[in-house]
């Protein structure tokens, strides 16, 4: 079928999209229906761990598709067992449960936190979350999120998510009371524009949780699986969480997510959690392949090196164009402009030729970069050159 304005009418319109169809991808490059190629620093929203159509993902999919696709969640399957063992061993935690999306995994973590409150804190059910946080689009995950305008979108909200401020320990302490069961946070607020929590703050949250008998839940959906240059983000922060949620990069582009819990937080009884696709062998087989490639010798060192290269390049552009600055950890980085032009820059970057550039504008004044974790040094340099050109032409356009 040919692409036209009419043919897309059958798709529910939930966000503005350019009149393009993406048809093919390889590594850091994506190709549209005109054959134009784009250097992709969005990568399916930080999910394509090894870029587009990585052989790591292709081979795992093909092998598992020819072996067993779905025996039903009534039975154990080997890939789910293997992935649960790898994740729990690496995280120093106890059990894992698999889902298909980040929002679902966060629902699972929320359920575990409420069970913790019921069993250990006399029915406490509140989970302290944060302003500008993003935890997904199910009703509870939207309620846990702190995005502006979300609290009035589909009322009533799910109850019990008081909001504190990131890097403000006092704002958290003030909210702790007899109804509090847990604190849930992103180590680097991704959708808010790569805003890192400080080490001191996260360690302070751990101390508060220990003091009051609360669970520390880390939403590592964006920060986990190598993105920060460590397998899990919490390793970068030097804390031990009680529960982590993983999605995005864990499946290398395939819909896979996980809740991983310490022994004391592994509280589900039979009948309290489940799902038709939870822990199916196809997605878990990809998860195993992604895990093994991420933990191969020196791979994460490469992520840290590319992260440092990107940071230095963004700092250079900051000085050259008098911007506000860059921030982030590993390969989750953002550049803050001195005006609200980020959406315009994203448009121009995509539209320019002969090759386009795909980047993201999480805020009117912020550009975000989430390349594949195996992006090459040459591709990082090329992105920086393209961005330099975009910033230069914007300046001369303003001056003209
Ligand atoms: C993307 C994201 C989610 C939601 O994941 P989905 O797979 O889109 O449901 C939740 N939390 C964080 C931190 C995310 O970045």
């Amino acid at each position: 079928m040919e692409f036209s304005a009419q043919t897309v009418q059958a798709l529910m319109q939930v966000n503005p999209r350019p009149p393009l169809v993406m048809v093919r991808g390889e590594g850091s490059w994506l190709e549209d229906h005109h054959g134009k190629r784009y250097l992709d620093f969005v990568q399916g929203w930080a999910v394509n761990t090894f870029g587009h159509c990585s052989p790591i993902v292709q081979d795992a999919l093909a092998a598992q598709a020819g072996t067993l696709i779905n025996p039903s969640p009534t039975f154990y399957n080997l890939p789910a067992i293997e992935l649960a063992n790898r994740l729990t061993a690496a995280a120093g935690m106890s059990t894992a449960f698999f889902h298909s999306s980040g929002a679902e995994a966060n629902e699972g973590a929320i359920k575990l936190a409420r069970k913790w409150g019921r069993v250990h804190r006399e029915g406490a059910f509140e989970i302290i979350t944060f302003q500008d946080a993003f935890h997904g689009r199910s009703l509870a995950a939207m309620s846990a999120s702190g995005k502006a305008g979300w609290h009035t979108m589909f009322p009533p909200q799910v109850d019990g998510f008081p909001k504190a401020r990131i890097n403000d320990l006092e704002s958290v302490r003030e909210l702790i009371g007899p109804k509090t069961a847990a604190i849930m946070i992103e180590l680097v607020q991704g959708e808010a524009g790569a805003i890192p929590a400080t080490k001191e703050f996260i360690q302070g949250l751990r101390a508060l949780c220990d003091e009051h008998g609360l669970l520390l839940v880390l939403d590592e959906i964006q920060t986990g699986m190598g993105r920060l240059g460590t397998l899990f983000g919490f390793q970068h922060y030097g804390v031990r969480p009680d529960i982590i949620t993983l999605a995005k990069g864990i499946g290398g582009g395939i819909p896979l997510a996980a809740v991983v819990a310490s022994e004391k937080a592994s509280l589900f009884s039979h009948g309290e959690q489940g799902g038709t696709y939870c822990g199916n062998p196809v997605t878990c087989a990809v998860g195993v392949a992604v895990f093994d490639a991420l933990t191969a010798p020196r791979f994460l060192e490469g992520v840290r090196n590319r992260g440092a290269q990107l940071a230095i390049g963004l700092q250079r552009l900051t000085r050259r164009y008098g911007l506000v600055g860059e921030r982030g950890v590993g390969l989750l980085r953002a550049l803050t402009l001195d005006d609200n032009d980020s959406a315009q820059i994203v448009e121009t970057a995509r539209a320019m030729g002969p090759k386009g550039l795909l980047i993201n504008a999480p805020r009117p004044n912020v550009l975000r970069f989430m390349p594949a974790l195996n992006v090459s040094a040459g591709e990082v340099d090329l992105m920086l050159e393209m961005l330099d050109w975009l910033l230069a032409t914007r300046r001369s356009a303003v001056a003209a």
Side-chain angles (χ1 to χ4, degrees):
M1 181 186 259
E2 277 298 298
F3 164 69
S4 73
Q6 281 74 42
T7 57
V8 299
Q9 290 308 313
L11 289 167
M12 282 192 195
Q13 299 295 312
V14 298
N15 56 346
R17 290 174 180 177
L20 293 175
V21 181
M22 293 302 175
V23 293
R24 192 169 289 114
E26 186 187 0
S28 285
W29 294 89
L30 196 56
E31 187 180 316
D32 73 16
H33 68 304
H34 299 300
K36 179 177 167 182
R37 283 161 53 88
Y38 303 83
L39 179 61
D40 190 359
F41 270 55
V42 175
Q43 284 291 357
W45 229 262
V47 308
N48 299 325
T49 312
F50 304 107
H52 291 284
C53 297
S54 160
I56 294 166
V57 174
Q58 285 191 51
D59 293 350
L61 272 177
Q64 191 58 41
T67 309
L68 179 65
I69 291 181
N70 206 329
S72 98
T74 319
F75 299 108
Y76 292 119
N77 70 74
L78 290 174
I81 296 168
E82 286 173 24
L83 185 56
N85 278 286
R86 278 166 169 75
L87 289 173
T88 53
M93 295 170 92
S94 190
T95 62
F97 187 79
F98 298 110
H99 294 273
S100 311
S101 71
E104 265 183 288
N106 282 339
E107 293 275 337
I110 290 165
K111 283 192 193 176
L112 280 177
R114 285 192 172 193
K115 178 101 189 249
W116 173 263
R118 174 151 65 83
V119 174
H120 295 293
R121 300 228 346 125
E122 296 171 5
F125 64 92
E126 284 186 356
I127 301 170
I128 297 172
T129 57
F130 291 83
Q131 288 174 14
D132 296 317
F134 181 82
H135 295 298
R137 290 178 175 275
S138 64
L139 282 175
M142 282 186 82
S143 305
S145 299
K147 268 177 94 106
W150 272 27
H151 63 295
T152 53
M153 219 179 259
F154 302 106
Q157 283 208 297
V158 176
D159 205 8
F161 296 100
K163 302 287 181 303
R165 287 181 300 276
I166 190 171
N167 295 331
D168 179 349
L169 208 55
E170 208 43 51
S171 76
V172 181
R173 200 192 307 270
E174 277 168 13
L175 293 176
I176 296 175
K179 288 191 204 157
T180 314
I183 300 170
M184 175 165 162
I185 189 167
E186 300 159 85
L187 295 169
V188 179
Q189 287 187 331
E191 299 310 299
I195 299 172
T198 64
K199 261 185 202 169
E200 189 187 21
F201 179 66
I202 296 297
Q203 289 173 0
L205 291 184
R206 178 70 270 177
L208 278 180
C209 286
D210 293 342
E211 182 186 339
H212 296 277
L214 314 176
L215 294 184
L216 180 60
V217 181
L218 300 181
D219 178 342
E220 290 238 36
I221 286 166
Q222 198 153 153
T223 57
M225 306 318 284
R227 179 63 48 186
L228 303 191
T230 48
L231 183 60
F232 304 110
F234 71 78
Q235 293 164 322
H236 179 83
Y237 280 83
V239 293
R240 293 180 70 85
D242 300 300
I243 297 174
I244 58 174
T245 54
L246 301 165
K248 295 209 163 89
I250 192 177
I254 298 301
L256 175 65
V259 183
V260 187
S262 66
E263 192 175 353
K264 74 173 186 187
S266 297
L267 288 168
F268 283 137
S269 306
H270 290 175
E272 289 180 339
Q273 185 62 313
T276 309
Y277 291 119
C278 292
N280 74 80
V282 175
T283 58
C284 289
V286 175
V288 168
V290 167
F291 182 98
D292 288 349
L294 275 176
T295 53
R298 310 211 39 200
F299 183 82
L300 291 170
E301 191 186 320
V303 175
R304 293 192 289 273
N305 290 342
R306 293 291 76 73
Q309 181 192 354
L310 181 56
I312 289 167
L314 293 174
Q315 285 155 17
R316 198 170 52 231
L317 294 176
T318 297
R319 288 191 298 274
R320 183 170 300 162
Y321 296 104
L323 308 177
V324 175
E326 72 88 36
R327 63 176 175 235
V329 183
L331 280 176
L332 177 51
R333 310 208 79 88
L335 178 67
T336 306
L337 308 173
D338 55 343
D339 58 21
N340 288 338
D341 259 5
S342 64
Q344 187 56 51
I345 291 175
V346 166
E347 289 273 325
T348 312
R350 192 190 62 244
M352 71 183 176
K355 291 191 169 79
L357 170 66
L358 303 180
I359 49 179
N360 162 247
R363 291 270 157 127
N365 62 340
V366 176
L367 295 171
R368 179 171 49 160
F369 311 90
M370 3 178 209
L373 298 187
N374 63 349
V375 66
S376 71
E379 287 161 347
V380 172
D381 280 340
L382 178 58
M383 195 287 293
L384 289 164
E385 273 170 38
M386 289 167 122
L387 189 60
D388 192 347
W389 183 86
L390 286 159
L391 292 167
T393 51
R394 180 182 70 128
R395 277 301 123 126
S396 48
V398 169

